[in-house]
């Protein structure tokens, strides 16, 4: 298993894990990604992005608490990936979210905290963020309205998920978590 590198922990911990506690910092971290990737002379941010994709692909980012499952953690990471890097799934993601679900049947923290009904009420970066993802303010508003009556969050783990985790564990790509097959 590849533990989270110092670079990954530093970048991820400086905003991408703060949506619940500090949504403004999370929004800023997501909006800075294009600039950080384009102005990355040492390749530090690109290495972060590549490691992020690996943690999604290999389910190697451990849940924060025993009450969380690896599936919930991976789904959360997919949301953060979408918010930060855009509509293309992480390379190698074995369970990508269907493109048509984002902003319709699937809401993210950026959508909830940075996008309101109009540009004037949203984060300054929201119009560009939406355009990059092919979404509109109306899409997000409709999804938020839908969330009052239907789930627009994480999917259920697919059939065969635990066997997939066992295979990854057997190959040494991740550590087993509580509740998984031995």
């Amino acid at each position: 298993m590849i533990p989270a590198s110092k670079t990954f922990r530093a970048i991820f911990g400086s905003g991408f894990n703060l949506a619940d506690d500090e949504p403004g910092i999370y929004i800023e971290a997501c909006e800075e990604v294009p600039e950080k990737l384009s102005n990355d002379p040492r390749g530090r941010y690109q290495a972060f992005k590549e490691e992020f994709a690996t943690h999604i692909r290999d389910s190697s980012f451990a849940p924060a608490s025993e009450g969380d499952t690896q599936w919930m953690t991976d789904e959360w990471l997919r949301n953060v990936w979408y918010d930060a890097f855009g509509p293309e799934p992480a390379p190698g993601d074995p369970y990508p979210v269907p493109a048509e679900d984002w902003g319709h049947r699937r809401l993210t923290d950026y959508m909830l905290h940075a996008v309101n009904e109009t540009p004037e009420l949203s984060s300054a970066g929201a119009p560009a963020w939406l355009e990059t993802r092919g979404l509109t303010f109306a899409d997000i508003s409709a999804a938020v309205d839908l969330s009052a009556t239907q789930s627009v969050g994480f999917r259920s783990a697919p059939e065969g998920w635990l066997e997939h985790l066992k295979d990854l564990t057997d190959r040494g790509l991740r550590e087993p978590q509580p509740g998984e097959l031995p």
Side-chain angles (χ1 to χ4, degrees), residues 16 26 30-31 33 78-86 102 108-111 129 133:
F16 294 109
Y26 179 79
C30 292
E31 291 177 353
V33 168
R78 288 181 180 97
N79 277 12
V80 176
W81 177 275
Y82 183 87
D83 284 350
F85 300 110
W102 293 113
T108 68
D109 287 323
Y110 188 92
M111 293 174 200
W129 187 94
R133 288 154 182 81

Side-chain angles (χ1 to χ4, degrees), residues 125-137:
W129 187 94
L130 289 166
E131 183 178 349
T132 299
R133 288 154 182 81
L135 296 171
T136 66
F137 287 95

Side-chain angles (χ1 to χ4, degrees), residues 11 23 33-34 37 48 51 66 70-71 83 89 110 115 117 125 132 141 151 156 165 167 169 176:
I11 294 173
V33 168
L37 284 170
F48 163 72
E51 183 175 340
E66 285 192 30
Q70 187 65 57
W71 179 256
D83 284 350
Y110 188 92
V115 181
E117 293 179 15
T132 299
S141 181
S151 173
S156 297
L165 290 182
D167 176 61
T169 302

Side-chain angles (χ1 to χ4, degrees), residues 94-151:
Y95 301 100
V97 175
E100 64 273 9
D101 285 4
W102 293 113
H104 302 283
R105 289 183 292 277
R106 176 87 170 230
L107 291 170
T108 68
D109 287 323
Y110 188 92
M111 293 174 200
L112 293 171
H113 297 299
V115 181
N116 289 303
E117 293 179 15
T118 66
E120 299 79 29
L121 299 174
S122 299
S123 168
W129 187 94
L130 289 166
E131 183 178 349
T132 299
R133 288 154 182 81
L135 296 171
T136 66
F137 287 95
D139 291 334
I140 305 307
S141 181
V144 169
D145 289 345
L146 181 64
S147 71
T149 60
Q150 296 180 21
S151 173

Side-chain angles (χ1 to χ4, degrees), residues 4-104:
S5 70
K6 183 178 177 181
T7 297
F8 183 88
R9 288 190 315 270
I11 294 173
F12 193 82
S14 68
F16 294 109
N17 65 340
L18 297 174
D20 291 336
D21 299 322
E22 296 288 341
I25 295 172
Y26 179 79
I27 292 166
E28 185 178 324
C30 292
E31 291 177 353
E32 289 178 340
V33 168
E35 180 184 336
K36 297 268 188 181
L37 284 170
S38 68
N39 186 17
D40 188 25
R42 295 184 319 186
R44 186 172 182 256
Y45 219 83
Q46 184 60 41
F48 163 72
K49 182 180 179 184
E50 290 169 10
E51 183 175 340
F52 198 144
T54 298
H55 287 304
I56 292 172
R57 182 190 71 226
D58 296 344
S59 295
S60 58
F61 190 91
S65 70
E66 285 192 30
D68 293 335
T69 65
Q70 187 65 57
W71 179 256
M72 288 172 47
T73 300
D74 291 350
E75 284 285 272
W76 168 62
L77 290 176
R78 288 181 180 97
N79 277 12
V80 176
W81 177 275
Y82 183 87
D83 284 350
F85 300 110
E88 293 299 317
D93 184 350
Y95 301 100
V97 175
E100 64 273 9
D101 285 4
W102 293 113
H104 302 283

